[in-house]
PDB file of all heavy atoms in Angstrom:
ATOM      1  N   THR K  53    -130.893  89.145 -86.809  1.00 93.00           N
ATOM      2  CA  THR K  53    -131.841  90.034 -86.147  1.00 93.00           C
ATOM      3  C   THR K  53    -131.647  90.044 -84.644  1.00 93.00           C
ATOM      4  O   THR K  53    -131.869  91.076 -83.998  1.00 93.00           O
ATOM      5  CB  THR K  53    -133.296  89.644 -86.467  1.00 93.00           C
ATOM      6  OG1 THR K  53    -133.486  88.282 -86.096  1.00 93.00           O
ATOM      7  CG2 THR K  53    -133.608  89.833 -87.934  1.00 93.00           C
ATOM      8  N   ASP K  54    -131.208  88.948 -84.059  1.00 93.00           N
ATOM      9  CA  ASP K  54    -131.036  88.866 -82.614  1.00 93.00           C
ATOM     10  C   ASP K  54    -129.794  88.045 -82.277  1.00 93.00           C
ATOM     11  O   ASP K  54    -129.892  86.923 -81.780  1.00 93.00           O
ATOM     12  CB  ASP K  54    -132.282  88.242 -81.990  1.00 93.00           C
ATOM     13  CG  ASP K  54    -132.296  88.342 -80.481  1.00 93.00           C
ATOM     14  OD1 ASP K  54    -131.624  89.251 -79.921  1.00 93.00           O
ATOM     15  OD2 ASP K  54    -132.976  87.517 -79.842  1.00 93.00           O
ATOM     16  N   PRO K  55    -128.582  88.605 -82.533  1.00 91.00           N
ATOM     17  CA  PRO K  55    -127.376  87.822 -82.255  1.00 91.00           C
ATOM     18  C   PRO K  55    -127.160  87.665 -80.756  1.00 91.00           C
ATOM     19  O   PRO K  55    -127.519  88.546 -79.958  1.00 91.00           O
ATOM     20  CB  PRO K  55    -126.265  88.682 -82.870  1.00 91.00           C
ATOM     21  CG  PRO K  55    -126.793  90.073 -82.815  1.00 91.00           C
ATOM     22  CD  PRO K  55    -128.275  89.946 -83.012  1.00 91.00           C
ATOM     23  N   GLY K  56    -126.585  86.532 -80.384  1.00 88.00           N
ATOM     24  CA  GLY K  56    -126.241  86.306 -78.993  1.00 88.00           C
ATOM     25  C   GLY K  56    -124.981  87.057 -78.619  1.00 88.00           C
ATOM     26  O   GLY K  56    -124.172  87.419 -79.470  1.00 88.00           O
ATOM     27  N   SER K  57    -124.808  87.291 -77.354  1.00 82.00           N
ATOM     28  CA  SER K  57    -123.595  87.961 -76.869  1.00 82.00           C
ATOM     29  C   SER K  57    -122.386  87.109 -77.217  1.00 82.00           C
ATOM     30  O   SER K  57    -122.329  85.925 -76.898  1.00 82.00           O
ATOM     31  CB  SER K  57    -123.691  88.148 -75.361  1.00 82.00           C
ATOM     32  OG  SER K  57    -122.519  88.759 -74.876  1.00 82.00           O
ATOM     33  N   GLY K  58    -121.420  87.691 -77.921  1.00 80.00           N
ATOM     34  CA  GLY K  58    -120.205  86.978 -78.297  1.00 80.00           C
ATOM     35  C   GLY K  58    -120.296  86.197 -79.588  1.00 80.00           C
ATOM     36  O   GLY K  58    -119.331  85.573 -79.998  1.00 80.00           O
ATOM     37  N   ASP K  59    -121.454  86.189 -80.244  1.00 86.00           N
ATOM     38  CA  ASP K  59    -121.598  85.482 -81.526  1.00 86.00           C
ATOM     39  C   ASP K  59    -120.714  86.144 -82.580  1.00 86.00           C
ATOM     40  O   ASP K  59    -120.609  87.374 -82.633  1.00 86.00           O
ATOM     41  CB  ASP K  59    -123.043  85.502 -82.020  1.00 86.00           C
ATOM     42  CG  ASP K  59    -123.944  84.560 -81.242  1.00 86.00           C
ATOM     43  OD1 ASP K  59    -123.437  83.849 -80.358  1.00 86.00           O
ATOM     44  OD2 ASP K  59    -125.160  84.563 -81.513  1.00 86.00           O
ATOM     45  N   ILE K  60    -120.075  85.323 -83.422  1.00 85.00           N
ATOM     46  CA  ILE K  60    -119.205  85.836 -84.480  1.00 85.00           C
ATOM     47  C   ILE K  60    -119.673  85.235 -85.798  1.00 85.00           C
ATOM     48  O   ILE K  60    -119.892  84.025 -85.904  1.00 85.00           O
ATOM     49  CB  ILE K  60    -117.735  85.480 -84.228  1.00 85.00           C
ATOM     50  CG1 ILE K  60    -117.266  86.122 -82.914  1.00 85.00           C
ATOM     51  CG2 ILE K  60    -116.856  85.925 -85.389  1.00 85.00           C
ATOM     52  CD1 ILE K  60    -115.873  85.723 -82.509  1.00 85.00           C
ATOM     53  N   TYR K  61    -119.829  86.089 -86.805  1.00 88.00           N
ATOM     54  CA  TYR K  61    -120.276  85.664 -88.131  1.00 88.00           C
ATOM     55  C   TYR K  61    -119.217  86.052 -89.160  1.00 88.00           C
ATOM     56  O   TYR K  61    -118.613  87.132 -89.063  1.00 88.00           O
ATOM     57  CB  TYR K  61    -121.604  86.338 -88.506  1.00 88.00           C
ATOM     58  CG  TYR K  61    -122.735  85.934 -87.604  1.00 88.00           C
ATOM     59  CD1 TYR K  61    -122.966  86.599 -86.397  1.00 88.00           C
ATOM     60  CD2 TYR K  61    -123.571  84.881 -87.937  1.00 88.00           C
ATOM     61  CE1 TYR K  61    -123.986  86.216 -85.564  1.00 88.00           C
ATOM     62  CE2 TYR K  61    -124.615  84.506 -87.103  1.00 88.00           C
ATOM     63  CZ  TYR K  61    -124.813  85.170 -85.918  1.00 88.00           C
ATOM     64  OH  TYR K  61    -125.830  84.790 -85.083  1.00 88.00           O
ATOM     65  N   ALA K  62    -119.012  85.201 -90.138  1.00 87.00           N
ATOM     66  CA  ALA K  62    -118.123  85.531 -91.275  1.00 87.00           C
ATOM     67  C   ALA K  62    -118.986  86.207 -92.331  1.00 87.00           C
ATOM     68  O   ALA K  62    -119.923  85.618 -92.859  1.00 87.00           O
ATOM     69  CB  ALA K  62    -117.465  84.276 -91.842  1.00 87.00           C
ATOM     70  N   ILE K  63    -118.677  87.468 -92.584  1.00 88.00           N
ATOM     71  CA  ILE K  63    -119.480  88.248 -93.539  1.00 88.00           C
ATOM     72  C   ILE K  63    -119.229  87.762 -94.961  1.00 88.00           C
ATOM     73  O   ILE K  63    -118.100  87.526 -95.340  1.00 88.00           O
ATOM     74  CB  ILE K  63    -119.149  89.754 -93.402  1.00 88.00           C
ATOM     75  CG1 ILE K  63    -119.521  90.217 -91.998  1.00 88.00           C
ATOM     76  CG2 ILE K  63    -119.886  90.572 -94.446  1.00 88.00           C
ATOM     77  CD1 ILE K  63    -119.152  91.654 -91.691  1.00 88.00           C
ATOM     78  N   GLY K  64    -120.306  87.615 -95.729  1.00 87.00           N
ATOM     79  CA  GLY K  64    -120.224  87.125 -97.106  1.00 87.00           C
ATOM     80  C   GLY K  64    -119.685  88.181 -98.075  1.00 87.00           C
ATOM     81  O   GLY K  64    -119.266  89.268 -97.694  1.00 87.00           O
TER      82      GLY K  64
END
Side-chain angles (χ1 to χ4, degrees):
T53 56
D54 190 23
S57 178
D59 286 357
I60 298 174
Y61 296 86
I63 298 176

